[in-house]
Amino acid sequence: MSDLAETDPAVADAIAGEERRQEENLEMIASENHVSPAVLEAQGSVMTNKYAEGYPGARYYGGCEHVDTVEQLAIDRATELWSAEHVNVQPHSGTQANQGVYFAVLEPGDKILSLDLTHGGHLSHGHHVNFSGQLYEVEQYEVDPETGYIDYDALQEHAEAFDPDIIVSGSSAYPREFDWERVQAAAEAVDAYHLADIAHITGLVAAGVHSSPVGIADFVTGSTHKSIRAGRGGIIMTTDEHAEAVDKAVFPGGQGGPLMHNIAGKAAGFGEALEPEFEAYAEQVVENATVLADVLRDRGFSLVSGGTDKHLLLVDLRESHPDLTGADAEDALHEVGITINKNTVPGETRSPFVTSGIRVGTPALTTRGFGAAEMERVGTCIADVLDAPDDDGVREHVASEVDDLCASFPIYDGEWR
Ligand SMILES: *Cc1c(COP(=O)(O)O)cnc(C)c1O
């Protein structure tokens, strides 16, 4: 028995329950993944005890020789993965990475132009409930309601009318590749900075299966626990020109001591992503999403933009299932062991707590070893449940399919403890 199970069974049971939940359910939340036992070990290490304010070789505390090593490894590996001139691996999360960029180059009251949340954007891109929407003046661009693709001409016109200080590209729920060059051109036309937020697609970009904004945008931010499946947190990539401003904005500007255990997890995960197998993984993530899109389209579901270029799909239920809300769909799938999230869709007519869509992603299932054949089974399960959410027979059948798939593809099999 572990120490925790003996001394604090309440917490230990919750952790064991979460492990069981991950093993016994199909994790299809597009931002989630399962990190390796090595990354878990790094994150659960004594690095958590160390204060290391500052950067490698220039800390405000003694005893930093080993945390310096691990942070430098994370930086060097990230530099290689994304070909960035300068990398900061200290942001506690993707949101803090964006905060670091805003703090580096904006003054309160400056203007941000970003993608609307209901069209795939993120809270940290200027939503009024987030600091970014409260400190800065924000206007937003949208996808074309007909095509589901970002309308770059409209974006450019909007930029010319609004004259923003920074344009944010990147998304949480936009199923297509961004045209980084087009956004960059709009930013240059109005003399604005360009922040490309690749939170979800860090892994796809690192593996070269999604185009990279590094070398195009002034700043690139990401989360390190999504498709790149490293230690939990954020990352900022920029040019030498902005390196000092970014480093100062992260520490001391916005954060105190770095989470060295998470940075160790980032280093370990980035090391794995440099192995050739990671490219195959990222390719499979995209292929699996394509297979899933094909199955759902064949079953009559409508997908925003008609399909996907990456690891996620956005299903708009309004046409095919007008009475089924995103929240109902999420609940019905949860009942049978499939975890997805309800999501607003472009032109949303319901509240964000109800929604008319679901977002479905493939990074976590692909990590478990799912390929095209398994994704076809998963797609059929999803369609069966959403077509008959109250049918007990369907539910029973799908739940046993889910059990079978999970048992055939264990994630940790207890091997991380
Ligand atoms: C997930 C996400 C973030 C923030 O990530 P956290 O690590 O949860 O703070 C930022 N931007 C986008 C586009 C995201 O999808």
Side-chain angles (χ1 to χ4, degrees), residues 244-263:
E244 198 185 330
V246 161
D247 287 353
K248 278 191 179 154
V250 172
F251 172 81
Q255 296 185 171
L259 310 178
M260 290 314 308
H261 55 309
N262 284 16
I263 290 173

Side-chain angles (χ1 to χ4, degrees), residues 93-96 98 122 124-125 170-172 197 199-200 223 225-226 233:
S93 76
T95 296
Q96 266 62 55
N98 289 339
H122 189 261
S124 63
H125 295 180
S171 64
S172 295
D197 178 351
H200 267 249
S223 299
H225 47 274
K226 297 183 180 177

Side-chain angles (χ1 to χ4, degrees), residues 17-35 225-226 281 285 288 292 311 330 333-334 336-341 359-370 375 378 382 402 405-406 409 411-412:
E18 174 58 16
E19 184 184 0
R20 233 176 7 256
R21 188 193 69 80
Q22 292 184 22
E23 293 284 353
E24 294 174 0
N25 290 273
L26 299 181
E27 184 52 71
M28 300 191 77
I29 292 178
S31 51
E32 292 190 18
N33 213 329
H34 306 289
V35 299
H225 47 274
K226 297 183 180 177
Y281 162 72
V285 165
N288 282 350
L292 191 62
H311 64 296
E330 180 184 304
L333 290 168
H334 177 72
V336 297
I338 300 175
T339 314
I340 56 103
N341 61 282
R359 188 185 67 164
V360 191
T362 55
L365 292 189
T366 308
T367 291
R368 285 186 95 132
F370 281 29
M375 288 318 294
V378 172
I382 293 175
V402 170
L405 283 162
C406 290
F409 294 88
I411 307 164
Y412 296 113

Side-chain angles (χ1 to χ4, degrees), residues 21 26 33 56 74 82 89 121 125 140 177 200 204 208 248 308 316 353 390-392 413:
R21 188 193 69 80
L26 299 181
N33 213 329
W82 289 284
V89 295
H125 295 180
Q140 302 206 291
E177 285 212 22
H200 267 249
L204 305 185
K248 278 191 179 154
T308 181
D316 185 340
F353 299 103
D390 300 318
D391 186 318
D392 289 340
D413 233 355

